[in-house]
Structures are given as C-alpha cells and as structure tokens.
Amino acid sequence: MSIDSTNSTDTLARLAEVIATRRPAAGGDPEKSYVARLLSKGCDAILKKVGEEATEVVMAGKDADRDRIVGEMADLWFHCLVALDYFGLQPKDVLAELSRREGLSGLEEFALRKAVGREAQSDALLSVVSVKGER
C-alpha cells in the first residue's frame, strides 16, 4: 500500500490554517462559522464533540461499514484538529510524536510504561507506609 504522506500532511496543515482563521479572536463569527461557534463554546464543548465523533467511529467499526468508518474518521480527525487549535497545537506536533514512535515496538513501550507505573505505585505505597510508621 502506497501512501502519499506529503499530500496528507499538506491537507492537515491546510485544514489547521483554515481552522485558525475561524478563531473568534481572529475574527471568526460564531453566527456564520461552525468552527468559530465551537471554539467560542470552549474546551468542554470541543472535547465533548471529539468524544461523540470517536463513539461514532467505534459504532461504524462494529458495523464493519467501510464508507461510514471513513466518513466518521474524517469527522473525528476534523474535530481533533479543532481541539489542537484550541490548545495552541498543530498537526505537525502530533506528526512529530508519531515519527518519534515510529520503529518502536508497541509491546516494549507498553511494558516500559507498565514498569514505570508499578515503580510509581511502589514509591507511593512506600510513602504511605512511611507516614503511617511515623505516627
């Protein structure tokens, strides 16, 4: 399978630029623009929309409806782009993180995170035991 990553990256960057022009602070009118309206409603509204779109992707996947999966995924990605803009981030930030992870074994990374989590839990438990022992 061949992927034209330059075109994909350009599409995400162009969409991010359009979203940035819809910010109310940049003159985006919530009465005329869905993105401006969503951005003006703030973090909770944006994240709620991301969650709704993610759920729709799951439902389309459960139905194995390829066309619907693509459409719902496009909606999810779009709303994720709005969320990125809200938090002052860009698609290139996510792409850089994906590049950083490229070639890493997911299982190894998971095992490392699990080990770090166990270590943190051990440290927390030792702190509680120390505090109780001081009483």
Side-chain angles (χ1 to χ4, degrees):
M1 180 161 94
S2 175
I3 298 174
D4 182 357
S5 61
T6 303
N7 186 31
S8 301
T9 303
D10 290 348
T11 300
L12 292 173
R14 282 193 310 274
L15 280 170
E17 288 174 11
V18 171
I19 289 167
T21 67
R22 302 299 197 269
R23 293 179 196 142
D29 183 353
E31 296 297 319
K32 296 179 181 176
S33 165
Y34 169 76
V35 172
R37 184 178 317 137
L38 190 55
L39 288 169
S40 71
K41 289 181 179 181
C43 183
D44 286 349
I46 295 165
L47 296 178
K48 179 180 177 188
K49 194 64 184 169
V50 169
E52 289 171 4
E53 297 301 341
T55 300
E56 290 174 10
V57 169
V58 170
M59 291 169 30
K62 294 291 276 180
D63 292 341
D65 184 333
R66 293 172 55 93
D67 291 336
R68 211 169 109 226
I69 291 168
V70 170
E72 296 299 349
M73 192 68 71
D75 290 345
L76 175 60
W77 284 17
F78 177 79
H79 287 90
C80 286
L81 290 172
V82 174
L84 285 172
D85 184 82
Y86 180 83
F87 291 110
L89 297 165
Q90 297 178 8
K92 68 180 182 180
D93 299 312
V94 177
L95 293 170
E97 176 62 13
L98 288 171
S99 291
R100 184 191 70 76
R101 294 180 185 187
E102 189 174 13
L104 295 177
S105 163
L107 294 176
E108 289 173 6
E109 186 179 11
F110 177 74
L112 179 60
R113 279 186 279 154
K114 193 172 181 181
V116 169
R118 278 195 306 263
E119 186 177 305
Q121 285 177 340
S122 270
D123 290 347
L125 182 58
L126 287 174
S127 295
V128 169
V129 169
S130 295
V131 170
K132 286 185 177 182
E134 292 175 6
R135 290 184 181 171

